Amino acid sequence: MNKDDFSNFNLNSLIRDNILKIDPYLSAREEYSYQEKNSIFLDANENSFGSPLSFSNSYNRYPDPLQKELKRKISEIKKISSSKIFLGNGSDEIIDLIYRIFSRPNTDNVIIFPPTYGMYEVSGKIHGVDIVKVFLTEEEYQLNLKKIKKAINPYSRIIFICSPNNPTGNDIKKEDIENIIKKFPGIVVLDEAYIDFSEKESFSLELEKYPNLIILQTLSKSWGLAGLRIGIAISSEEIIQWMNKVKFPYNVSQISQKIAIQALNNKDLFFYHLKNILSERKYMEDSLTKIPIIDKVYPSSSNFILVKISFSSKNLYQHLIDKKIIVRDQSKIILCNECLRITVGTHEENEYLIDQMKKYSEKCS
Ligand SMILES: *Cc1c(COP(=O)(O)O)cnc(C)c1O
């Protein structure tokens, strides 16, 4: 556990035995033929006459299994080589793949830091892997390094860190993340779903230093493409190749690939929306702080804000529902007692929310 450099790092020793042994399914479109646009394709049992769609005839073919054009765009934007990028059917598919590759059911355990994103635990339970929880520190929501070190045992295969963290919204301290990546002999997954809303830099800039690091990003949040289901993993070429071996051959649909490329070509609008979200976040933070029933507005590096209500977040939640405003009640989540998580909306939406909260607060006083 006292490994300060990675000279002894052996990726294969972390990979599940049955996975080490498989020969991947080679889809027809993975062979050279996919590149040759002018060929006659009689290799994949597609319908050569086309689909019954009236507007397009381009969906009768299987999509590019490795999403090369889309990866090239993401590679340009994130300044990371395509060979270090994996795309999944949302980050949730990637989390599942990481369990499949790196953990053994009924044997291994995985360490998570609640309150955090629920899928790490759900996916672990689906895979029959023990979930070891080391809670974040109270109020600051930072890693508890001492307790983490005690919790790690020889069967700990994966650690999930979420920064900025969901549902608390804050960045995890950089030196603490570095400490875990350097000391932990297994795989560290750093979920940066909200990194574009943070002032902190992505760890993807330091990928070369860490052969055990997998960074997760997504097009669902800052890029506004939750409906397409495109999650991104950034890691060493070796780890990316394992993911490619284990994934379903056509895991990202043709239509998702095509539309994502169109969106990524429109960076100006992306930055415009991002700027608006950040200024609306500020507006919400300022306004929420002034509402008497709100005890605390937690600092946010994301596109949502966690607030603590002085009494009964449940009642406020219900009041907002009655006004057709849906926020997330976190009162059952550890360390989030009486908390609501509120996503930053458009200015009109935020104004209406603040207005309704003020009215509720007045009623209570
Ligand atoms: C929203 C979110 C994701 C994104 O999931 P997708 O499956 O890519 O939509 C990942 N991690 C966290 C912490 C999230 O909050």
Side-chain angles (χ1 to χ4, degrees), residues 139 142 174 301:
E139 297 299 319
Q142 291 295 327
K174 179 168 193 218
S301 297

Side-chain angles (χ1 to χ4, degrees), residues 41 87 96 137 166 169 173 228 236 245 249 267 274 282 327:
F41 291 113
L87 301 180
D96 176 81
T137 59
N166 179 6
K173 284 185 197 149
L228 293 188
S236 69
K245 262 188 208 173
K267 264 186 8 185
L274 186 60
K282 178 86 175 65
V327 299

Side-chain angles (χ1 to χ4, degrees), residues 97-140:
L97 276 176
I98 291 169
Y99 273 103
R100 284 203 255 169
I101 296 170
F102 295 107
S103 71
R104 293 166 297 181
N106 308 316
T107 306
D108 290 329
N109 66 69
V110 158
I111 299 177
I112 65 169
F113 308 126
T116 193
Y117 188 46
M119 278 310 289
Y120 313 142
E121 179 169 359
V122 171
S123 199
K125 284 185 171 159
I126 288 169
H127 284 274
V129 171
D130 261 352
I131 307 292
V132 176
K133 296 177 183 180
V134 182
F135 300 126
L136 295 175
T137 59
E138 250 171 88
E139 297 299 319
E140 302 284 306

Side-chain angles (χ1 to χ4, degrees), residues 291-296 307-319 329 331 337-340 357 360-365:
I291 298 176
I293 50 157
I294 295 183
D295 262 0
K296 182 154 185 185
V307 294
K308 198 188 263 305
I309 313 302
S310 62
F311 54 89
S312 188
S313 61
K314 255 219 175 75
N315 292 354
L316 174 56
Y317 174 76
Q318 194 52 50
H319 169 81
D329 182 13
S331 52
N337 206 8
E338 304 298 348
C339 286
L340 299 179
M357 281 191 154
Y360 180 80
S361 188
E362 281 159 21
K363 251 195 346 195
C364 291
S365 61

Side-chain angles (χ1 to χ4, degrees), residues 43-80:
D43 59 342
N45 302 346
E46 297 149 339
N47 187 330
S48 300
F49 289 83
S51 72
L53 288 169
S54 53
F55 61 88
S56 166
N57 200 25
S58 68
Y59 295 106
N60 58 326
R61 301 294 175 185
Y62 280 102
D64 177 359
L66 292 172
Q67 311 100 16
K68 290 187 210 65
E69 193 182 346
L70 176 52
K71 279 184 189 162
R72 213 174 300 132
K73 283 285 5 151
I74 292 173
S75 156
E76 257 174 57
I77 288 170
K78 309 228 176 245
K79 314 253 184 298
I80 291 150

